[in-house]
Every structure is written in C-alpha cells, then in structure tokens.
Amino acid sequence: AASAPKPLPSSGPKSLREMPHPLATSSSEEMGPTLTPSPDLLLPRSIADKDLSLPNGTPVDTSSPASSSSLLNRLQLDDDLDVETRDLFVTVDDPKKHVCTMETYITYRVTTKTTRAEFDLPEYSVRRRYQDFDWLRNKLEESQPTHLIPPLPEKFVVKGVVDRFSEEFVETRRKALDKFLKRITDHPVLSFNDHFNVFLTAKDLNAYKKQGMALLTKMGESVKYVTGGYKLRSRPLEFAAIGDYLDTFSLKLGTIDRIAQRIIKEQLEYLVELREYGPVYSTWGGLEVELSEPLEGVSACIGNCCTALEELSEDMTEDFLPVLREYILYAESMKNVLKKRDQVQAEYEAKLEAVALKREDRPKVPADVEKCQDRVECFNADLKADMERWQNNKRQDFRQLLMGMADKNIQYYEKCLTAWESIIPLLQDKPETK
C-alpha cells in the first residue's frame, strides 16, 4: 500500500554487511557465510504472545473457519497509520477488453487523487494498457538510473497455456499493475518524476510518445551512466554484500516458487481424484438401503473438502505466487542498478588513472572527473537508500504473505475437520443390525 513520502535514510556499510537473510538456512554450502534468520519474518509480539495451539484439546479460538483471520487483520493495522499525511493516491481498476481490426487488448482505468501543486487538477481518470505501463517504466529507468524502479508483471506468464483475456489472468495483472503504481507513488523521488505525471494525467499518451518528450529528458542528463568501455576492479564491501544478498535471495525465492507451483499442480490433480471419488459413495448408497444415509454423508463430506481445497489452490495461485514472482523481478531490478553503479565507478577510476598518467601539475581535478565522482556518490546514496526502503517493504509484504498463507491453511483444515465431524453422528446413531 502507498504511504507518505519520507526522507530515505542511508544505511551504512555495517548494516549492509550484516544484513540478515530472510530465507536463510543452515546449509553453509548453499548459503556461503553463515546467515541468521531475519526477525522480520517472525511472528509479531501481539501474535506470538497469544495462546495458540493445534486442535488437540488445548484451548484455541478456532470456533469458525474464519476465526483465524483476526491474525492477519492485526497485521494490517500499521498500514494506515500515516494515511492522513499522504498527498497522492493512485488506483488501477475496471479492466475492459477492446477488439480492433488489427489487435485485441485490455485497458485499465488509472484514477489519481492528489493535493500536490504539480498537478493542475485534484483528480484524474485515464485508461492505460500494458504497453503504456511498460513505457512508463522504461522512461523512469532512463531518467532515474540511480534509483530502483519497481518491476512490472511479466507480459506472458505461461506462453500458449494462459489465456491473457481470461478473467483470472486479467485480475491478477490488474493487481500487479496497481501495486506497480503504488510503489512509484510511495517513492519520494519517482513520484515527482514528470513522466509519471504525464502517465497519470494525459488523455492521449500516444501523443507524448511520438514527441519523444524532449523537454522531460533533461532531468536525466546529470545522472547518465556509461554502458561499456570500463572495467571495475572491485566493488566496495557494502555493495559486494548487497550483490551477494540479492544472489542468495533470488536463489531461495526461485526454489520456493518452483516447489509452490509443484504443490499447486499436485493439489489440482488430487482435486480431480476427489471429484471422482465422492460420487462413488453416493452411487453405492443407492444400492444399500440401510447404509444410504451415512454413504451420502461421506459423499457430501468429500464434496465439501473439494470446495475447500479448490479455494486453497486459488488463494495460492492468485495471492502467494504473484508476490514471489514480483520479488524475484525486484531482485533483478536491484542487480541492474548495482551494475550501473559499477559502470560509473569504473569510469571514474579510469579517468583518475588517465589524469595520473599525464603527470601534469594541475591545481585541481578536471571538471569531467569531478562530475564523474558526483555521479558515483549519487549512485551510492540513492542505491543504499532504495535498498533500505526495499527491505522495509519486503519485511511488510512477506510478513503479510506468510501470515495470510497460514490463515488460509488453517481455514482449509478447519473446513475439512468440520466436514468429517459432521458424518460421525450418522455412524454413531445408526442402530446395530441384529
């Protein structure tokens, strides 16, 4: 969720080098240096201190399948603490399908409400398609190369398999695009970018695309980076630590993503079997008069378990997997910023060497070397600040993600337990045959 723009404190070398990995394991071969589990993903005190237990006789508040939702609700209280200080709100909704002669595509309504002086009106509503979001991200990368640009959802999740016009796919993409804009809105620098302003307000965005937005490209001139020609000797320790962290983080999330997809696939296969399994008892009950009631009960019970499993699989597919994929892409975006920083540092080192080789007595460092040094310092400050901001967002997102997953699993097993318990009276009250 978007929050008030705040100054980005710079994390020092010590905090970066000692950065705990949120998915750390005890395997030294896979992880390299020993990393301790991050406290960010532990239960909040209000939850950890609560007397929770499994339904084995010890007291626990699980009187209804929805009772566990209170755990997640408590986590969401912090999200709106600073809502009164926000001055820019952006939402993505109302997807519509457009069928043209040459192509078929989906547009989304982007609604903006703001009190910022940079906007002429307090409210805007425009329609944008995926390629417009892609244009915005490219422009942000060009004009703000020192900052971490939030990732967009992949254009095709599974080519040839997923119907990109299906209701499920469109809704998943809408949520991702909404989160993309909220990430930008939440950023104290990106949210003031002129390209972002045009994206939110222009009725005809194509007109700006064709013009090339010559006036807006000036803002990126002071932070241009060199894409080649120089080789970095070595990264400073704090940025080497960031690189190692991102590599390990991507590896762990990639593994979780693959396993989660396998689990969902196996759940769907199990669901197919359950749907064939339940009706067999119902058919059998038609042949056994005395057993018809309990057999029909078992059939209904299996049907209820099918519904619960289907809901659990949908939640995993629509809520769990997209967050994993977003952060895998986020890590790649951060790696790209890190590479740009390395390129600028390499250019700076090369210029310093060139000045030293001339062996000329100069009263001061040449202007182009000073400019290059400024770019290095700009990259360092912005990257460290964005890394700290990213870590804070990640802590919130993963806490909510994992608690949500626990909540959904609790509900699933409670529904199954209720279903199976419902047929016990049918079996107990049945008089014994003499």
Side-chain angles (χ1 to χ4, degrees):
S3 60
K6 299 176 182 177
L8 292 177
S10 174
S11 54
K14 181 178 179 182
S15 62
L16 286 170
R17 285 199 296 270
E18 296 178 355
M19 193 183 307
H21 198 288
L23 301 171
T25 64
S26 58
S27 172
S28 57
E29 295 180 2
E30 187 177 10
M31 296 288 294
T34 305
L35 297 171
T36 56
S38 169
D40 296 342
L41 295 180
L42 298 178
L43 288 177
R45 182 173 300 277
S46 61
I47 296 175
D49 290 347
K50 181 171 178 167
D51 294 329
L52 298 174
S53 60
L54 294 175
N56 58 358
T58 48
V60 62
D61 182 19
T62 54
S63 55
S64 68
S67 61
S68 53
S69 298
S70 59
L71 301 179
L72 189 58
N73 291 338
R74 278 201 292 270
L75 290 177
Q76 296 170 339
L77 293 178
D78 295 336
D79 293 344
D80 298 321
L81 292 179
D82 56 350
V83 66
E84 294 181 359
T85 64
R86 299 177 193 169
D87 57 3
L88 181 62
F89 298 84
V90 180
T91 57
V92 179
D93 60 8
D94 189 28
K96 287 185 178 178
K97 185 177 180 180
H98 301 261
V99 181
C100 302
T101 307
M102 301 298 293
E103 62 177 337
T104 301
Y105 58 94
I106 303 291
T107 64
Y108 304 85
R109 181 175 60 190
V110 178
T111 304
T112 304
K113 296 182 180 180
T114 182
T115 56
R116 290 187 181 181
E118 291 79 14
F119 292 84
D120 297 330
L121 301 173
E123 187 170 346
Y124 295 87
S125 180
V126 295
R127 297 204 71 84
R128 298 286 183 253
R129 54 187 298 187
Y130 179 88
Q131 65 181 29
D132 297 329
F133 288 85
D134 192 42
W135 170 86
L136 171 62
R137 190 178 191 283
N138 290 334
K139 286 299 180 182
L140 289 175
E141 281 196 327
E142 290 174 11
S143 58
Q144 311 280 177
T146 64
H147 285 288
L148 171 62
I149 311 301
L152 274 174
E154 297 143 308
K155 191 169 183 61
F156 297 104
V157 179
V158 183
K159 291 184 178 179
V161 177
V162 175
D163 177 11
R164 65 192 183 98
F165 298 115
S166 68
E167 186 177 340
E168 295 79 9
F169 179 82
V170 171
E171 176 59 17
T172 299
R173 171 164 287 184
R174 184 204 63 78
K175 289 180 181 177
L177 295 176
D178 183 75
K179 182 176 287 187
F180 169 72
L181 292 188
K182 281 181 169 58
R183 301 282 196 203
I184 299 173
T185 303
D186 188 39
H187 199 283
V189 176
L190 300 181
S191 63
F192 287 92
N193 185 282
D194 287 353
H195 295 91
F196 186 45
N197 186 307
V198 167
F199 176 87
L200 296 178
T201 62
K203 287 296 181 182
D204 183 11
L205 191 60
N206 290 326
Y208 286 88
K209 292 181 181 179
K210 291 174 183 177
Q211 291 173 7
M213 301 185 72
L215 295 176
L216 300 184
T217 56
K218 292 181 180 179
M219 62 191 304
E221 291 179 358
S222 62
V223 287
K224 283 183 180 176
Y225 56 92
V226 179
T227 56
Y230 304 100
K231 188 174 182 180
L232 182 67
R233 291 178 178 176
S234 63
R235 281 176 177 167
L237 288 178
E238 56 186 321
F239 296 108
I242 291 177
D244 293 341
Y245 174 87
L246 293 172
D247 287 339
T248 307
F249 181 75
S250 299
L251 175 66
K252 294 300 180 186
L253 277 200
T255 303
I256 292 175
D257 180 58
R258 288 192 299 273
I259 295 175
Q261 290 189 60
R262 271 205 313 270
I263 290 174
I264 292 173
K265 181 175 178 291
E266 291 170 0
Q267 283 178 339
L268 295 177
E269 291 172 350
Y270 176 50
L271 190 58
V272 171
E273 299 293 342
L274 276 183
R275 283 172 176 160
E276 295 180 2
Y277 184 51
V280 174
Y281 286 93
S282 184
T283 307
W284 181 16
L287 303 175
E288 301 276 358
V289 178
E290 292 187 354
L291 296 177
S292 62
E293 190 176 2
L295 290 175
E296 287 288 353
V298 172
S299 179
C301 170
I302 295 174
N304 291 334
C305 291
C306 282
T307 303
L309 181 59
E310 187 174 14
E311 291 173 356
L312 179 65
S313 298
E314 287 177 358
D315 289 328
M316 287 280 288
T317 303
E318 296 174 8
D319 298 330
F320 185 75
L321 291 183
V323 175
L324 295 183
R325 288 170 183 153
E326 182 198 13
Y327 272 92
I328 291 172
L329 294 174
Y330 235 136
E332 292 303 314
S333 297
M334 180 63 83
K335 289 179 187 178
N336 289 335
V337 179
L338 196 57
K339 288 177 184 177
K340 294 174 187 176
R341 193 218 71 85
D342 292 346
Q343 290 162 0
V344 173
Q345 182 186 336
E347 179 191 7
Y348 175 59
E349 291 175 353
K351 287 182 183 294
L352 281 181
E353 289 180 2
V355 170
L357 288 175
K358 289 182 179 180
R359 299 178 182 279
E360 297 179 3
D361 296 329
R362 295 189 176 187
K364 62 178 182 178
V365 180
D368 62 330
V369 178
E370 288 186 342
K371 287 182 180 179
C372 194
Q373 182 182 13
D374 290 342
R375 290 200 296 270
V376 173
E377 292 175 355
C378 180
F379 258 106
N380 291 349
D382 289 350
L383 193 151
K384 287 191 290 185
D386 277 4
M387 183 68 181
E388 185 165 331
R389 188 178 194 83
W390 181 72
Q391 289 281 13
N392 290 335
N393 287 337
K394 177 172 57 62
R395 180 180 67 249
Q396 275 191 349
D397 289 345
F398 274 87
R399 183 178 63 168
Q400 183 168 331
L401 177 74
L402 297 178
M403 287 301 297
M405 182 174 66
D407 187 60
K408 296 299 181 182
N409 274 276
I410 291 171
Q411 291 184 35
Y412 165 70
Y413 287 109
E414 284 178 340
K415 288 175 182 176
C416 290
L417 178 63
T418 301
W420 285 108
E421 284 181 338
S422 67
I423 67 169
I424 292 178
L426 296 177
L427 301 175
Q428 289 177 335
D429 297 338
K430 191 71 178 174
E432 295 183 6
T433 342
K434 295 183 180 179

